[in-house]
Amino acid sequence: MWSHLKRSLANLTKHSLDQLTALVKTRLKRMQYRPRLIEGLIAKTGPDLQPL
């Protein structure tokens, strides 16, 4: 997830730390409402999510 988030923040170097923090929170909140994105990111890591 960090890699995905980092790409969306790549060109924001002129912002203050407070602004950057707010942007990160906003972007994470958006990701939260995109379950397919989260599933895709988890699938790339290759864990077996089946119950034991």
Side-chain angles (χ1 to χ4, degrees):
M1 283 191 211
W2 175 242
S3 177
H4 181 79
L5 177 65
K6 194 168 55 171
R7 278 181 292 202
S8 72
L9 300 172
N11 295 322
L12 300 175
T13 58
K14 295 183 180 180
H15 293 284
S16 71
L17 185 56
D18 290 336
Q19 290 172 323
L20 184 58
T21 301
L23 283 169
V24 168
K25 287 180 180 181
T26 301
R27 302 274 165 84
L28 286 172
K29 189 72 145 174
R30 286 184 195 168
M31 287 172 68
Q32 180 181 1
Y33 293 105
R34 295 180 61 197
R36 297 276 185 205
L37 173 65
I38 303 298
E39 290 170 2
L41 294 171
I42 291 172
K44 283 186 178 181
T45 65
D48 183 12
L49 300 176
Q50 299 299 320
L52 296 175

